[in-house]
Amino acid sequence: MKILENVSLKKFNTFGINANARYFLEANTVFDIQNFLADKSFSPFRAVAGRLLILGGGSNILFTKNFDGVVLKNNIKGIELLREDAEHYYVKAGAGELWHQFVLHCIKNNYAGVENLSLIPGSIGAAPIQNIGAYGVEQKEVFLELEAINIKENKLVVFSKSDCRFDYRDSIFKQEAKGKFIITSVTFKLYKTPKLNTSYGAINREIEKMGDKEVSIASISRAVCNIRRSKLPDPEKIGNAGSFFKNPTIPSEQYQELMKRFPEVVAFPPSPSDNRAGAKVGSEARGEGWKLAAGWLIEQCGWKGKQVGNTGVHKDQALVLVNYGNAKGAEVFELSEKILQSVKEKFDVELEREVVVV
Ligand code: EPU
């Protein structure tokens, strides 16, 4: 395992931002990571928060400057059927596997549960950190447990589902456990009999358009891929990190006020059965508030399709910021600040970034 110096991260982040890492290493096994953690010459980087960065697919990160520390690219591979019972398949995947490759593997083998999460960029290890979700399903619905190395103690530990404290685009790994663990594998509990979820209207419309007579996990997956390809820019062609902001949740009273001023506001009620706009779980399911479509708020502020220097807001989905080529991370960040301000001014709603800013 080689530790390199001054490595460009451009090809390791889907925004395509050119920032350098002071040190860079790729880990192919748990042993590689444990070896690195045992290496005393790098202790100073492990002791200070924010100087060791674990990179998966690099699809939810914005580098605003060079990284003065160690970037560890997690490349641990492998997908393994551990066991099965009458209703489930238990499948373990290495943290460095690409999420969509895993989804394709599941569909090929008829393991149901992740079809709605097709084509989400990023790695298996990153999926539980922000509890990825799309088209009415969240990763936590099929999550069983994960293995991670405790950085301080260099020991492998297991996190159960409740340990992870999943919420909408959130988990313990974005809170108390942030920067303290390196996820090495995730085990999922997938279904033998699919629970087909076409509640997200666009899926049904797409399946009809495709002319499929029967709905299956494969047809849902194809429909989701078609929808995503039609709305979201392909990072291979135009740098981006998916939704840049989260859909904000606001209290009912605030929502009523907002409705008076903007009757056409796109929002999803605090009901556990409602799963539109990535809502479904967490604060909303607990009845804490209404989830607003941040894309709508941003569009209403006139940002959709706008180009500002080398960066801009995507023309088909206002939640996505893009790099038109050679954008600096700081430029993208500045644009996101302006968007935050204008949404605050017009609607008195605070948006929160989903992307990790480094
Ligand atoms: N809308 C607009 N203008 C826009 C975008 C959206 O008015 O530019 C309104 C429309 O009314 C639309 C509604 O918002 O019907 C919902 O839009 P969409 O279905 O595109 O979903 P979203 O809430 O904008 C969330 C996730 C996406 C996920 C989709 C589908 C978040 C932050 N984003 O977006 O996730 O693919 O739902 O489930 O929750 C990601 O996290 O990177 C991501 C792409």
Side-chain angles (χ1 to χ4, degrees), residues 9 17-21 62-68 329-330 357-358:
L9 297 169
I17 301 290
N18 197 11
N20 282 356
L62 177 68
F63 290 105
T64 55
K65 50 185 179 301
N66 288 335
F67 186 73
D68 184 22
V357 177
V358 176

Side-chain angles (χ1 to χ4, degrees), residues 130 133-136 168-169 200 228 231-232 241-243 245-247 266 268 277-278 293 295-296 299 304 316-319 354:
Q130 64 153 335
Y135 304 102
Y168 166 64
R169 294 296 193 277
Y200 213 88
R228 289 189 75 97
K231 274 199 182 182
L232 300 167
S243 297
F245 303 97
K246 293 188 202 175
N247 284 329
V266 181
F268 307 100
W296 185 86
E299 184 174 348
K304 195 167 180 174
D316 300 320
Q317 165 54 289
L319 263 186
E354 182 193 307

